[in-house]
Amino acid sequence: MTPETIVRQYLGKIGESTKTLFSTENFNTHVMNTYGRFPIALEAGKGCWVWDTEGKAYLDFVAGIATCTLGHANPVMMTTVSQQIQKLHHVSNLYYIPVQGELAQWLTQHSCADKVFFCNSGAEANEGAIKLARKYAHEKLNIENPMILTAHASFHGRTLATITATGQPKYHKGFSPLMPGFSYVPYNDIAAIESAIAELDKETRQVAAIMLETLQGEGGVRPGDTAYFQKIREICDDKGILLILDEVQVGMGRTGKLWGYENLGIEPDIFTSAKGLGGGIPIGAMLCKSHCDVFEPGNQASTFGGNPFACAVALAVCQTLVQENLLTNVQQRGEELRVGLNAIASKYSHLFTEVRGWGLINGLELNADAELTSIDIVKAAIDEGLLIVPAGQKVLRFVPPLIVTAAEVTEAMDALGKAIANLVK
Ligand SMILES: *Cc1c(COP(=O)(O)O)cnc(C)c1O
């Protein structure tokens, strides 16, 4: 059976058995209005495909926003979930949790980190990193008012500390007073960060940490510049500043390397992971080298953090990444995807300016004065059975599951080509 026939059979099954009555009005009556949702309702998935309540199939190049590492209804995840829920799903960090230790060991053996703290989301992992950096600054650097530098167009989460860390005014609006202790610099600009540090440290030393994404995801799929990050590492070493890397979106293999920093030839002192870590089961992690591990019992905690259920699934996702050699798939499919996107960008050169990305996180940028926005193209792609996600007004983001096949990349590019043709005719 070809993958297509399997998908078609599955489509038939879903269409017959789970077609349910769904009303957006009823949904909106009860759910807070915090998201701009596209008008489809999804209720089943398999591999890189999802189905809506009408039985229509979509090729999923969103993957829960770079989260469903192994796609939907993955057999290894299904087995792990059902075995672990029958064994033990949640206790508390009042006790030792063996599988939490196993997952931490896997992560430290496969990264530059020595220690791991588990939580539930990217924002929570970044909160942990910010707390760790502040405690380190007070205890080891004797800084009274520690400042953390972050980048313009960054994204670090939606809690108060992490919206403050996020260098985009649109996320701050309406939520003042923001947290003190953050200052912003342009991304990939070494002169700007050098002068920001000099300015902040003029009277007394304030700069405790620099927090950056190795590739800016939400901010427009902008890869970090190697020379920039290497210089930042040097500055941090010289001045004793901590380098925190937010790997929430690009870590766990998405770039074709396990961690984004491997693309830049540097190592952070602290880094965070979440989205892809559990393959869609909520889990986050804050990892650090032992020299900055200043937490003691009572400093940081999370009720659900590192529970047996989430850790067992994340461990299965990690092991599957290695066993199925998915990093190679990410590199090869990523190449093919960029070839396809470049073909579209040159066919419609009045619309698009650039294709950029690493592995399976890629962006297609619209011309600043193109009349279309990324949302227009996302909607047209939905009509053609392809799910993609904007990264700001002018960038389309392509983040399929890491198991995506060459045939699915081709199919996605065909659907995107048709969607754009419909819009420009
Ligand atoms: C998504 C994201 C976050 C926030 O993660 P949540 O799990 O939504 O809290 C933080 N940083 C980056 C780089 C992200 O892409």
Side-chain angles (χ1 to χ4, degrees):
M1 250 189 312
T2 67
E4 279 81 3
T5 32
I6 296 170
V7 166
R8 299 299 157 211
Q9 281 192 354
Y10 200 80
L11 169 78
K13 242 194 316 198
I14 297 295
E16 296 297 324
S17 62
T18 68
K19 211 164 172 178
T20 49
L21 284 176
F22 177 77
S23 137
T24 51
E25 288 78 40
N26 192 46
F27 184 97
N28 290 331
T29 305
H30 303 291
V31 178
M32 280 180 105
N33 184 24
T34 63
Y35 300 98
R37 296 177 195 268
F38 295 103
I40 57 171
L42 301 176
E43 67 172 2
K46 180 74 189 160
C48 294
W49 293 82
V50 290
W51 285 269
D52 71 11
T53 45
E54 309 285 312
K56 180 175 170 182
Y58 302 86
L59 193 45
D60 183 8
F61 272 48
V62 177
I65 313 192
T67 293
C68 302
T69 309
L70 305 180
H72 303 281
N74 174 270
V76 175
M77 287 181 74
M78 292 195 295
T79 307
T80 309
V81 163
S82 77
Q83 284 177 352
Q84 192 62 46
I85 201 110
Q86 292 175 64
K87 203 168 151 196
L88 185 68
H89 72 291
H90 180 78
V91 278
S92 158
N93 290 297
L94 288 166
Y95 316 105
Y96 284 93
I97 298 169
V99 66
Q100 181 184 124
E102 276 183 73
L103 176 61
Q105 184 173 7
W106 191 95
L107 289 168
T108 56
Q109 284 174 346
H110 291 83
S111 76
C112 66
D114 301 308
K115 292 289 177 95
V116 189
F117 171 82
F118 290 106
C119 52
N120 307 287
S121 69
E124 198 187 356
N126 287 337
E127 287 271 344
I130 293 163
K131 282 179 71 177
L132 186 67
R134 284 188 173 187
K135 186 158 193 250
Y136 179 92
H138 291 300
E139 283 184 4
K140 303 268 175 181
L141 307 174
N142 257 318
I143 299 180
E144 204 172 318
N145 285 307
M147 294 290 297
I148 299 177
L149 294 178
T150 66
H152 295 165
S154 57
F155 184 82
H156 299 296
R158 300 297 200 133
T159 62
L160 277 169
T162 58
I163 57 167
T164 311
T166 294
Q168 300 193 56
K170 71 174 178 189
Y171 292 112
H172 301 165
K173 218 172 148 247
F175 299 113
S176 63
L178 296 176
M179 296 273 296
F182 293 91
S183 189
Y184 314 101
V185 290
Y187 190 61
N188 279 340
D189 180 341
I190 201 70
I193 203 162
E194 282 176 328
S195 66
I197 295 169
E199 184 59 31
L200 285 165
D201 288 353
K202 202 163 57 187
E203 308 282 324
T204 42
R205 175 158 180 205
Q206 288 192 294
V207 178
I210 297 172
M211 180 166 169
L212 297 166
E213 291 158 87
T214 50
L215 172 154
Q216 291 189 324
E218 307 292 316
V221 191
R222 271 168 231 289
D225 179 57
T226 302
Y228 173 74
F229 273 85
Q230 294 193 345
K231 187 71 193 169
I232 295 251
R233 183 66 268 177
E234 256 174 54
I235 294 171
C236 288
D237 290 340
D238 280 357
K239 299 187 184 288
I241 296 171
L242 292 176
L243 179 57
I244 305 170
L245 295 179
D246 179 343
E247 296 263 0
V248 168
Q249 185 153 165
V250 301
M252 279 299 287
R254 178 140 305 271
T255 68
K257 309 258 188 209
L258 196 52
W259 307 107
Y261 64 75
E262 294 171 47
N263 297 283
L264 299 166
I266 52 144
E267 289 182 357
D269 301 291
I270 302 171
F271 72 98
T272 54
S273 175
K275 287 192 167 83
L277 181 56
I281 300 298
I283 182 169
M286 188 267 287
L287 305 92
C288 74
K289 293 200 177 186
S290 41
H291 71 92
C292 46
D293 177 21
V294 293
F295 277 169
E296 293 160 15
N299 286 164
Q300 182 67 330
S302 173
T303 298
F304 291 123
N307 86 9
F309 180 79
C311 287
V313 181
L315 183 60
V317 172
C318 290
Q319 290 168 340
T320 305
L321 264 185
V322 173
Q323 276 156 17
E324 305 200 351
N325 204 9
L326 286 179
L327 294 183
T328 306
N329 191 58
V330 173
Q331 290 156 17
Q332 294 172 348
R333 302 298 79 80
E335 278 298 324
E336 292 159 6
L337 183 54
R338 281 185 295 279
V339 168
L341 291 173
N342 273 310
I344 288 173
S346 46
K347 180 164 178 196
Y348 299 99
S349 57
H350 61 293
L351 275 183
F352 300 108
T353 56
E354 196 185 20
V355 174
R356 55 178 181 250
W358 292 336
L360 284 174
I361 177 157
N362 291 288
L364 174 58
E365 184 162 52
L366 280 148
N367 222 319
D369 46 49
E371 271 174 24
L372 295 173
T373 65
S374 49
I375 301 260
D376 297 326
I377 298 182
V378 168
K379 285 182 178 156
I382 289 175
D383 291 341
E384 292 301 325
L386 171 67
L387 302 185
I388 50 177
V389 54
Q393 280 250 309
K394 290 289 178 185
V395 181
L396 297 164
R397 183 171 19 161
F398 301 80
V399 282
L402 307 189
I403 56 162
V404 71
T405 63
E408 285 163 341
V409 170
T410 307
E411 194 157 344
M413 291 302 94
D414 289 349
L416 181 67
K418 280 187 204 145
I420 296 166
N422 291 341
L423 282 172
V424 300
K425 77 169 170 237

